[in-house]
Amino acid sequence: MLRFSVKWVSAVVLVFLVGAAFIFCEYLIYYPAILKCAWPNDGRPTDSTVHAMVLSDTHLLGAVGGHWFDKLRREWQMERAFQTALWLLRPEIVFILGDIFDEGKWSSQKNWEDDVRRFHRMFRHTTDTELVVLVGNHDIGFHYEMDWFKLQRFEKVFNASSTRIVTKKGVNFLLVNSVALHGDGCPICQSVEKELIKLSRELNCSLQTGSEKTESCDGAHPYPPTAPVMLQHYPLYRESDAGCRGEDAALPEERHLLFREKYDVLSKDASQRVGGWWFKPRLILSGHTHSGCEVLHDNKYPEISVPSFSWRNRNNPSFILASVSPRSYTLSKCFLPQESTVISVYSSAGAFLLLLFLAHCLVMKGLCSLCLLGKHKSM
């Protein structure tokens, strides 16, 4: 009877520990991390402030290069992190700055549809939250790989042109298809640049009042008279991440690696056109590098590089919380649980279970010895 009780207690403890470790690592761990985050206060009434959540580089793995366990682990992490953030923070709008998919640049139609289905499941949201998705090089290919089919396939899924302005509470959010800003006259490049020039004219017209307005502004869309917040996948040109600091910056040994124009960052010419000539953004938000960085271009235009949201690209993913009004903005960063923490919890639980198993074996061996001794004495 005693032997049976020890087995039963050991089984209950084992099930409890395994269940507790699983529930904590796969569900509960996201709550304390995101509860530390809060919307930054810009000092204005909340009814005139847009609460925007900004993340980047989700890289949903595809059918070719994605291992099933890698998919399961990283996609579950992003789903739980996103859903927990929505529930606790309730953003009005969410921006994802490109590279939604890892293999969109070459995936077949069947694989593309599977990737899209998984994306909509992971990043599901209520009608209270607007989801805005930008295009990245992994979604349609680098400049030399992109074509109209892949671009239009992406735009159809997300129900909007990849270059446009989203206006909310008097705030202009300018979305730029930065993959097409190579300036070499390619058909998609020409189309995107034509649209950007048009949007630039309309934004400039919206800043003019009364007699200042010129005839060229006739028929222009009446955007709110405020400088835009610009969002795109590629960062504006910078030599490297040497000036980047913070726990989500690139590793120290990587920060001095020189960036390649039109591959790691936009070219100098394209950066000057969108960042100074066509638009004078009060804030630029970009992705692509998978690491965080703050840069001030021409001592006028601040740019924030948003790190990857996926454990596959970094141990400590994060996202940006932005409180934006027509005249001001404030930002804060929200860090997700580190993958190394989850691994440590599982490893510690596994080591404890191993010790428990060994102790159980020793106890059972001792009980067996007592039983045999009792039988021997009775004989």
Side-chain angles (χ1 to χ4, degrees), residues 159-175:
N159 300 315
S161 167
S162 59
T163 298
R164 66 190 192 278
I165 292 175
V166 173
T167 300
K168 207 169 186 69
K169 292 185 179 179
V171 178
N172 296 314
F173 294 99
L174 171 65
L175 315 183

Side-chain angles (χ1 to χ4, degrees), residues 196-206 216-220:
L196 287 173
I197 292 171
K198 173 177 173 289
L199 293 175
S200 172
R201 180 181 70 86
E202 291 179 333
L203 282 174
N204 288 331
C205 287
S206 71
S216 63
C217 291
D218 293 343

Side-chain angles (χ1 to χ4, degrees), residues 71-319:
K71 278 186 185 180
L72 176 67
R73 187 79 203 102
R74 274 51 188 269
E75 291 183 8
W76 176 254
Q77 167 257 321
M78 288 191 287
E79 180 177 350
R80 292 316 316 152
F82 184 77
Q83 295 303 324
T84 304
L86 284 193
W87 191 70
L88 293 177
L89 299 171
R90 303 195 178 279
E92 297 169 69
I93 189 166
V94 176
F95 294 99
I96 307 182
L97 305 182
D99 278 2
I100 312 304
F101 308 107
D102 197 58
E103 298 179 3
K105 55 188 178 182
W106 64 52
S107 60
S108 67
Q109 188 60 27
K110 179 179 180 301
N111 292 335
W112 169 262
E113 291 171 359
D114 178 65
D115 293 346
V116 168
R117 177 187 56 77
R118 290 177 6 248
F119 172 84
H120 285 312
R121 185 199 71 233
M122 293 164 56
F123 294 94
R124 60 191 181 276
H125 56 282
T126 65
T127 55
D128 295 333
T129 299
E130 182 179 359
L131 180 64
V132 178
V133 175
L134 282 74
V135 68
N137 56 287
H138 275 265
D139 301 313
I140 61 172
F142 284 94
H143 169 259
Y144 59 87
E145 297 172 308
M146 67 177 180
D147 55 41
W148 284 111
F149 171 76
K150 286 181 280 191
L151 176 61
Q152 291 170 353
R153 180 172 70 172
F154 183 91
E155 292 180 340
K156 181 180 179 181
V157 165
F158 297 107
N159 300 315
S161 167
S162 59
T163 298
R164 66 190 192 278
I165 292 175
V166 173
T167 300
K168 207 169 186 69
K169 292 185 179 179
V171 178
N172 296 314
F173 294 99
L174 171 65
L175 315 183
V176 177
N177 177 355
S178 55
V179 184
L181 290 181
H182 282 279
D184 62 355
C186 77
I188 295 178
C189 299
Q190 287 181 326
S191 174
V192 167
E193 290 184 8
K194 181 179 178 181
E195 183 63 25
L196 287 173
I197 292 171
K198 173 177 173 289
L199 293 175
S200 172
R201 180 181 70 86
E202 291 179 333
L203 282 174
N204 288 331
C205 287
S206 71
L207 296 172
Q208 300 175 14
T209 58
S211 59
E212 294 178 358
K213 286 199 173 184
T214 61
E215 291 184 4
S216 63
C217 291
D218 293 343
H221 189 284
Y223 289 106
T226 180
V229 174
M230 190 166 78
L231 304 102
Q232 59 187 34
H233 181 64
Y234 279 109
L236 296 187
Y237 176 79
R238 62 178 183 261
E239 288 188 354
S240 67
D241 272 351
C244 305
R245 298 292 181 268
E247 57 185 297
D248 61 353
L251 297 173
E253 61 269 21
E254 297 176 354
R255 292 180 194 172
H256 294 277
L257 298 177
L258 296 180
F259 284 146
R260 293 161 290 180
E261 292 185 61
K262 305 181 181 181
Y263 190 86
D264 299 309
V265 292
L266 288 181
S267 67
K268 293 178 183 178
D269 178 59
S271 299
Q272 191 174 38
R273 279 182 286 139
V274 296
W277 294 355
W278 296 342
F279 307 97
K280 293 178 173 55
R282 50 184 169 139
L283 173 66
I284 303 161
L285 295 165
S286 59
H288 188 59
T289 65
H290 299 172
S291 299
C293 191
E294 297 182 18
V295 182
L296 185 63
H297 298 280
D298 299 331
N299 293 317
K300 296 178 184 177
Y301 311 116
E303 177 180 12
I304 307 295
S305 288
V306 182
S308 174
F309 194 66
S310 173
W311 274 344
R312 188 167 185 261
N313 297 320
R314 59 182 307 109
N315 180 48
N316 59 339
S318 63
F319 58 89

